[in-house]
Amino acid sequence: LAKTTQPISMDSYEGQEVNITCSHNNIATNDYITWYQQFPSQGPRFIIQGYKTKVTNEVASLFIPADRKSSTLSLPRVSLSDTAVYYCLVGDMDGSARQLTFGSGTQLTVLP
Amino acid sequence: DTGVSQDPRHKITKRGQNVTFRCDPISEHNRLYWYRQTLGQGPEFLTYFQNEAQLEKSRLLSDRFSAERPKGSFSTLEIQRTEQGDSAMYLCASSLGGDSAADEQFFGPGTRLTVL
């Protein structure tokens, strides 16, 4: 079963760049790393997904080193509305069952 | 609104009762997932379907839990003989699936279950 580790919380100020790192062992060869954002009383929302190196979309960048045992979500110029919990999700082949394991989540608080 | 709907949004029941939740995924999505989330924790995988076939099931899923996706469209999750420890948010997600391991899941708003 994949075990993922994220910082419990982070604070930032509006306009700053925020980097959140997730550590994950036992990632399967074919599995991708996906980051989600969750606001209170809502389901998680997809942010970005990658397999290796760097991926960028209109809201974030994802950096994955060659060994793929970690990943870093980068949010440029955060705003107050980015205050949320951020999760990394990786797949893990555990015998015959595919166990999708969310990290413990990082509570990001953006301050004015 | 992601296009995934869940019903009911809230359910209060007494211990020992059975409950059933429904999830309607995005229509063209082949995969459907169920998760459970308790306060302060990340979503915990329960099971997923590829079309109507239940492909994977968490080892943590008790025999009291059962899920179906009879025609490859909507899905139901039933919990029999509920216990107070079943109180949680139950999340459904869907994705296109396919051959690639890349899999963007779209989550519904969840069903919050409270067992008294």
Side-chain angles (χ1 to χ4, degrees), chain B residues 10 17 19 26 34 54 60 73-74 92 99 104 108 111-112:
Chain B
H10 304 273
Q17 298 295 306
V19 295
I26 295 171
W34 284 100
Q54 187 174 15
L60 303 174
S73 56
F74 74 92
C92 173
D99 294 334
E104 176 182 346
T111 294
R112 181 166 296 284

Side-chain angles (χ1 to χ4, degrees), chain B residues 1-80:
Chain B
D1 183 1
T2 62
V4 179
S5 60
Q6 293 187 244
D7 183 70
R9 295 291 307 275
H10 304 273
K11 178 70 176 178
I12 300 174
T13 190
K14 293 182 179 180
R15 187 176 53 185
Q17 298 295 306
N18 299 342
V19 295
T20 299
F21 309 141
R22 177 181 171 122
C23 171
D24 286 273
I26 295 171
S27 59
E28 63 267 26
H29 282 185
N30 297 320
R31 285 187 175 178
L32 187 147
Y33 302 78
W34 284 100
Y35 294 86
R36 177 173 63 189
Q37 186 175 26
T38 54
L39 195 63
Q41 302 297 315
E44 173 190 22
F45 169 79
L46 294 179
T47 188
Y48 88 85
F49 294 83
Q50 176 81 27
N51 299 311
E52 68 275 10
Q54 187 174 15
L55 294 188
E56 304 292 352
K57 192 173 176 179
S58 169
R59 295 174 301 165
L60 303 174
L61 203 61
S62 155
D63 290 344
R64 298 183 295 105
F65 288 71
S66 62
E68 293 183 343
R69 194 182 182 196
K71 296 183 179 179
S73 56
F74 74 92
S75 176
T76 58
L77 176 69
E78 181 183 16
I79 309 174
Q80 296 182 328

Side-chain angles (χ1 to χ4, degrees), chain A residues 47-60:
Chain A
I47 301 174
I48 197 167
Q49 184 175 74
Y51 183 80
K52 61 180 178 181
T53 62
K54 178 183 175 182
V55 180
T56 298
N57 63 19
E58 62 275 11
V59 298

Side-chain angles (χ1 to χ4, degrees), chain A residues 14-27:
Chain A
E14 278 191 294
Q16 289 189 330
E17 178 184 76
V18 170
N19 296 309
I20 307 174
T21 296
C22 178
S23 299
H24 32 77
N25 57 15
N26 299 329
I27 184 170

